[in-house]
Amino acid sequence: MPLLATLVDDFTDGTLDTASRWSGSYGDLTETGGRAQIPCGTGYAGLKSASAYTLAGSAVHLQIFPADPTGAASAAASVLVLSATGGTDAGFIVDPAQNAVGCYLRSGYADGGAVFLTYSPADHRWLRLREAAGTLYWETSSNGVFWATRRTAASPAWVSETGLAVLVEGHRDAGPETPIEVDNVNAPPGQAVQLTAAAVTEGARPVGLAKVRTLGVAASVIDVPPIGLRKTRTLGVAGATESAQAVGYDLTVSVGAPWSDWEVGEPW
């Protein structure tokens, strides 16, 4: 029971895989310039997978380039997940002739709750139908990375079937036949990210080295001795000198004569 997300094709090998991936296809389809091309004329042509997938807990996304609508009142590209019951399906119908994108959940080929968007070639370049935890999501993107939710609905029981198929079909009411192009079915967008210039730049050091910054001239300079030696400072001449005693002796000072003479042993 493969999930729909396992159906992957980026159309880069120049040969449309109608033997396995797109075994249900009809009409004069080609793979050219890295895209599948589906005729959009007054008849019908479709890129259709095998009926072998389930949508429950999965999704399908792709990049769509609708047909040139010149000369037509309607030139539709239908992108649908089909159930085993005809007319019971879900997905998108992109019609540049009517400048519209419809988000459909159909039963008997009808959906009274369909949601319609004004078609934008940029904003609706990518389409995704996704199921998660009992809810269906219709999503669009300009780059295949950031997605906008356009509609949600309770998942019908058929999303858990194991015989679902993906169909991209082209049809127009009038005008010359022109192709619908499809790319990157469940494949990553493969677009480069364009970065703006950095506001601040600094020279980087190789990995493992520290960044250095040149310092200005110091305001004052003191000679620093080599590591392991002490810094010395030359002292000036002392303001006063005294004779030092040998270690263990007290410093003595001569005492002058008393204010008056007293005889030893004479009472006061």
Side-chain angles (χ1 to χ4, degrees), residues 166-192:
V166 174
L167 170 67
V168 184
E169 184 181 70
H171 173 73
R172 67 197 298 145
D173 65 340
E177 181 179 280
T178 56
I180 296 166
E181 294 186 329
V182 176
D183 201 359
N184 294 317
V185 175
N186 287 327
Q191 295 178 344

Side-chain angles (χ1 to χ4, degrees), residues 30-214:
T30 60
E31 183 175 311
T32 305
R35 297 173 182 172
Q37 294 196 340
I38 305 162
C40 186
T42 54
Y44 291 86
L47 179 72
K48 185 182 177 184
S49 75
S51 298
Y53 301 93
T54 186
L55 179 56
S58 191
V60 58
H61 74 253
L62 54 80
Q63 194 174 13
I64 189 78
F65 303 87
D68 181 348
T70 302
S74 175
S78 300
V79 182
L80 303 170
V81 175
L82 307 178
S83 76
T85 302
T88 298
D89 49 44
F92 303 84
I93 298 180
V94 182
D95 193 338
Q98 297 190 32
N99 200 33
V101 177
C103 302
Y104 286 93
L105 178 57
R106 302 194 305 179
S107 178
Y109 297 97
D111 178 12
V115 173
F116 296 96
L117 315 172
T118 300
Y119 173 62
S120 166
D123 295 340
H124 306 141
R125 178 62 51 85
W126 293 77
L127 307 176
R128 181 167 72 182
L129 182 68
R130 178 170 61 93
E131 200 283 333
T135 300
L136 273 178
Y137 298 84
W138 289 255
E139 298 167 323
T140 67
S141 174
S142 62
N143 56 16
V145 178
F146 303 105
W147 295 87
T149 300
R150 304 300 187 176
R151 180 187 179 184
T152 63
S155 300
W158 61 260
V159 301
S160 297
E161 294 177 3
T162 59
L164 305 184
V166 174
L167 170 67
V168 184
E169 184 181 70
H171 173 73
R172 67 197 298 145
D173 65 340
E177 181 179 280
T178 56
I180 296 166
E181 294 186 329
V182 176
D183 201 359
N184 294 317
V185 175
N186 287 327
Q191 295 178 344
V193 177
Q194 184 173 352
L195 302 177
T196 58
V200 178
T201 59
E202 291 186 7
R205 303 286 294 175
V207 175
L209 300 182
K211 188 168 73 172
V212 298
R213 182 186 295 273
T214 303

